[in-house]
Amino acid sequence: MSKIIVLMGAPGAGKGTQARLLEERHNLPQISTGDMFRALATDQTALAEEVRAVQAAGKLISDDLVIRIVQERTNREDCKHGYVLDGFPRTTVQAAMLEKLAVEQGKKILAVLVDVPLEELEKRATGRRSCPICGEIYNVYFKPPKVEGVCDLHPDAQLIHRTDDTAEKIKVRLATYEQQTRPLLDYYEKSNRLHRVDGTRAPEAIYADIEKVVNRES
Ligand SMILES: [Zn+2]
């Protein structure tokens, strides 16, 4: 049975890399809400027009409309053998709607959490530095430059620390994520469909575990 993989992970957990690997190696397209809404801004379909009308009126996109957007996108040919959802469902109401869609599409849902402890997420974000010349990313905790504060390849370039990466802002961002996601994790855990993957390791090691889950749950 083909699968709908609900991919979850906090900001900075490395979920995007895993979604890309699943797409490249497992032929499972990544369906993200961000991409869908970007496409709807220019699509010439009845649904896209409806979404634009709602947005133009300054109204919120209802759950009912969101599920129709997901449905339209995932009924396309490229999703026939399964797909990865990123950013949907956000609530248990949406999760319940997804159950119906999965039945309609003859697919099985499994949730994968790229699990990274809060302290490490904070260090990943607050320790992050980048070179203004080559864009190389460093981390003062995990991947420090040879000389503090400057790029290994550009010794004259002072590394940049993004201002929105302050500890306070990151704590708030992660707490908000945690609060919003907790009910969904519980939802999938209760029905034995939540798979936690240790996200503190290298991307390839994480992917190997995700692949096992995806292959096993057939
Ligand atoms: Zn550099």
Side-chain angles (χ1 to χ4, degrees), residues 130-136 138 150-155 157 159:
S130 65
C131 172
I133 296 170
C134 66
E136 181 69 17
Y138 295 90
V150 296
C151 179
D152 293 349
L153 302 172
H154 303 97
L159 295 178

Side-chain angles (χ1 to χ4, degrees), residues 109-125:
I109 298 170
L110 62 104
V112 174
L113 172 69
V114 181
D115 204 4
V116 178
L118 208 59
E119 311 85 74
E120 176 158 341
L121 289 169
E122 284 176 18
K123 282 184 174 176
R124 283 185 187 185

Side-chain angles (χ1 to χ4, degrees), residues 79-139:
C79 292
K80 207 169 134 187
H81 302 294
Y83 52 90
V84 176
L85 283 177
D86 176 8
F88 182 89
R90 277 205 197 287
T91 62
T92 51
V93 172
Q94 291 183 350
M97 290 173 153
L98 181 63
E99 306 288 353
K100 281 190 202 153
L101 182 62
V103 171
E104 273 171 40
Q105 294 179 336
K107 289 182 172 56
K108 182 175 172 176
I109 298 170
L110 62 104
V112 174
L113 172 69
V114 181
D115 204 4
V116 178
L118 208 59
E119 311 85 74
E120 176 158 341
L121 289 169
E122 284 176 18
K123 282 184 174 176
R124 283 185 187 185
T126 57
R128 192 183 150 97
R129 304 288 184 275
S130 65
C131 172
I133 296 170
C134 66
E136 181 69 17
I137 307 290
Y138 295 90
N139 187 293

Side-chain angles (χ1 to χ4, degrees), residues 7 25 38 91 104 142 185 206:
L7 191 59
R25 300 183 190 173
R38 269 187 290 281
T91 62
E104 273 171 40
F142 305 115
L185 292 179
I206 301 170

Side-chain angles (χ1 to χ4, degrees), residues 1-212:
M1 198 179 210
S2 61
K3 289 149 198 139
I4 300 171
I5 297 161
V6 176
L7 191 59
M8 295 191 280
K15 187 181 61 162
T17 305
Q18 298 305 321
R20 187 171 49 75
L21 291 173
L22 279 166
E23 180 150 17
E24 285 171 9
R25 300 183 190 173
H26 232 88
N27 204 19
L28 293 169
Q30 179 189 6
I31 309 300
S32 84
T33 39
D35 288 344
M36 282 187 286
F37 275 98
R38 269 187 290 281
L40 286 165
T42 51
D43 276 357
Q44 296 304 316
T45 62
L47 181 62
E49 273 165 29
E50 189 178 338
V51 171
R52 287 197 291 269
V54 171
Q55 286 170 328
K59 291 183 191 155
L60 281 175
I61 306 285
S62 66
D63 281 338
D64 178 60
L65 193 48
V66 176
I67 192 71
R68 280 163 55 208
I69 293 166
V70 173
Q71 179 178 33
E72 192 207 49
R73 174 63 190 86
T74 59
N75 277 345
R76 292 185 204 163
E77 187 65 22
D78 64 337
C79 292
K80 207 169 134 187
H81 302 294
Y83 52 90
V84 176
L85 283 177
D86 176 8
F88 182 89
R90 277 205 197 287
T91 62
T92 51
V93 172
Q94 291 183 350
M97 290 173 153
L98 181 63
E99 306 288 353
K100 281 190 202 153
L101 182 62
V103 171
E104 273 171 40
Q105 294 179 336
K107 289 182 172 56
K108 182 175 172 176
I109 298 170
L110 62 104
V112 174
L113 172 69
V114 181
D115 204 4
V116 178
L118 208 59
E119 311 85 74
E120 176 158 341
L121 289 169
E122 284 176 18
K123 282 184 174 176
R124 283 185 187 185
T126 57
R128 192 183 150 97
R129 304 288 184 275
S130 65
C131 172
I133 296 170
C134 66
E136 181 69 17
I137 307 290
Y138 295 90
N139 187 293
V140 300
Y141 303 106
F142 305 115
K143 189 195 168 194
K146 293 193 180 91
V147 179
E148 195 186 326
V150 296
C151 179
D152 293 349
L153 302 172
H154 303 97
D156 295 330
Q158 203 67 31
L159 295 178
I160 297 171
H161 183 199
R162 268 180 21 194
T163 49
D164 59 339
D165 289 346
T166 61
E168 271 319 301
K169 283 184 182 168
I170 282 149
K171 276 196 170 64
V172 171
R173 202 156 77 206
L174 292 174
T176 306
Y177 172 82
E178 162 78 22
Q179 206 178 8
Q180 286 172 346
T181 315
R182 178 60 46 200
L184 264 187
L185 292 179
D186 291 345
Y187 178 91
Y188 287 117
E189 189 135 57
K190 271 181 208 148
S191 50
N192 270 324
R193 290 176 298 174
L194 180 67
H195 303 269
R196 292 172 193 271
V197 173
D198 176 2
T200 61
R201 301 162 302 156
E204 287 295 342
I206 301 170
Y207 183 73
D209 277 4
I210 293 179
E211 198 164 42
K212 266 182 228 154

